[in-house]
Amino acid sequence: MPRTPLRQPAARLGRCLRTTTRSQPRSVSTQLPASSQSRLPTQQRRWHSEFSSVNPNEVEHFNALAADWWSPHGSSRLLHLMNPLRHDFIRACLASDDSASNAPPTNLRYLDIGCGGGIFAESAARLPTTAHVTAIDPTPSVLAVAQAHAKRDPALRGKLEYQPTSIERLAVPEKPYDIVSLFEVIEHIDDPGAFLDRVRPFVRPGGWLVMSTIARTWMSWFTTNLVAEDLLRIVPPGTHDWNKYINEGELRGFFAGKGWNSPKVMGVVYVPGLGWKEVRGSEKVGNYFFAVRRDE
């Protein structure tokens, strides 16, 4: 069944009210809400080949947005505006490496998971420090848009490769990637724990897993669901499910003790007319970037 967004903001508020009790973590630093605990594995649970992170309803929703993905004023305009901050965040992560010299690292290999129309993948491939970008997405129409747009720039040939697949169907390469990105992806996954377990082998030891997502708070419901989707329609209705949002403390708790280190976070806020801006502490209430480095 295709996802049909709630037509009235009050209806969504009623749903949130009904789920608040089971959605609030007892300890924000270590526990997920009850609605998310069922989606995250215990330490004993292992990823298995039958698991899939691909939700057919999510694929159908983003297929419908494919046509204007590259329009700076279309349904993906907030992603276009956020893209410079993605690169700023990655540069900050790389600069913090203990082994990093004054010069930026070169010949970097990226894996962009859930690449959509290729906004980040293209920009990463154009960097002089990039050797290659592999970008994957299970949404056919959106990936076709990404491939068609990349063909317009001959400089991307040999540096950017799109694959119509999911992470579960992608083979782990002999040489894992320096940077694996999950931008605006994790909040669309039904089982984020199993998904992140599957992603880990694709990050080389010492490499970075970077993502952006949204905290599950009343403020984020107000700004992303009520205002952005229902009232202003600057985001297509039905894009976000508030119950799938993940708090920063929950992510930290999930990665703890699983071969990751140096967690980093950057809260960001969308300011109409100015775009996305870094705001310290805003990761507690809304959009934020998060990264962890794989143990050497």
Side-chain angles (χ1 to χ4, degrees):
M1 293 291 293
R3 175 168 52 182
T4 56
L6 296 174
R7 295 183 179 180
Q8 296 297 329
R12 180 175 284 126
L13 176 58
R15 182 186 65 176
C16 294
L17 286 171
R18 290 193 299 271
T19 58
T20 301
T21 302
R22 68 175 184 270
S23 295
Q24 294 303 319
R26 295 180 182 177
S27 174
V28 76
S29 62
T30 59
Q31 282 195 330
L32 288 163
S35 60
S36 296
Q37 285 175 351
S38 62
R39 296 185 279 122
L40 288 180
T42 61
Q43 291 183 350
Q44 289 75 29
R45 179 177 175 185
R46 296 182 183 275
W47 176 88
H48 52 86
S49 59
E50 290 79 13
F51 168 75
S52 175
S53 62
V54 180
N55 183 317
N57 291 338
E58 297 283 357
V59 171
E60 183 173 357
H61 177 78
F62 286 101
N63 264 330
L65 305 180
D68 68 346
W69 197 279
W70 277 96
S71 170
H73 304 292
S75 59
S76 299
R77 60 188 178 277
L78 293 185
L79 300 182
H80 286 273
L81 294 172
M82 183 180 280
N83 206 46
L85 280 182
R86 294 169 171 175
H87 290 288
D88 289 344
F89 186 64
I90 290 174
R91 282 191 290 268
C93 291
L94 295 172
S96 69
D97 287 347
D98 294 337
S99 59
S101 61
N102 292 330
T106 57
N107 297 318
L108 294 172
R109 298 172 64 251
Y110 290 76
L111 173 62
D112 187 25
I113 301 173
C115 64
I119 295 171
F120 173 74
E122 274 201 21
S123 61
R126 290 192 177 93
L127 295 175
T129 55
T130 298
H132 190 265
V133 176
T134 300
I136 67 172
D137 199 289
T139 313
S141 297
V142 173
L143 199 66
V145 168
Q147 292 169 325
H149 194 272
K151 289 180 180 179
R152 302 178 183 178
D153 187 354
L156 295 175
R157 294 175 185 172
K159 290 191 71 176
L160 175 59
E161 174 190 4
Y162 287 110
Q163 295 189 29
T165 188
S166 64
I167 192 64
E168 293 80 31
R169 296 181 179 275
L170 188 67
V172 178
E174 293 184 6
K175 183 180 179 182
Y177 298 91
D178 301 290
I179 298 165
V180 174
S181 56
L182 302 171
F183 290 126
E184 308 302 310
V185 168
I186 196 69
E187 68 270 22
H188 299 287
I189 301 298
D190 290 336
D191 191 339
F195 173 73
L196 291 172
D197 281 346
R198 175 57 177 161
V199 168
R200 185 180 183 275
F202 290 86
V203 185
R204 70 164 177 83
W208 287 90
L209 172 61
V210 297
M211 66 187 77
S212 57
T213 190
I214 310 172
R216 192 186 59 264
T217 65
W218 287 112
M219 180 62 72
S220 68
W221 172 83
F222 178 79
T223 56
T224 64
N225 295 100
L226 178 60
V227 176
E229 292 189 21
D230 289 327
L231 299 181
L232 299 182
R233 299 298 177 100
I234 59 176
V235 175
T239 296
H240 297 112
D241 181 347
W242 181 83
N243 294 288
K244 288 184 176 182
Y245 293 178
I246 299 179
N247 295 331
E248 176 217 351
E250 295 165 354
L251 279 179
R252 288 178 181 268
F254 177 76
F255 286 112
K258 291 191 174 182
W260 300 95
N261 64 75
S262 307
K264 298 189 180 302
V265 66
M266 181 175 77
V268 295
V269 172
Y270 175 69
V271 182
L274 297 177
W276 291 95
K277 301 296 179 181
E278 178 182 0
V279 177
R280 290 188 179 182
S282 62
E283 66 273 10
K284 302 298 183 183
V285 295
N287 292 76
Y288 64 98
F289 289 90
F290 186 89
V292 284
R293 188 169 182 256
R294 185 177 173 183
D295 290 348
E296 299 269 7

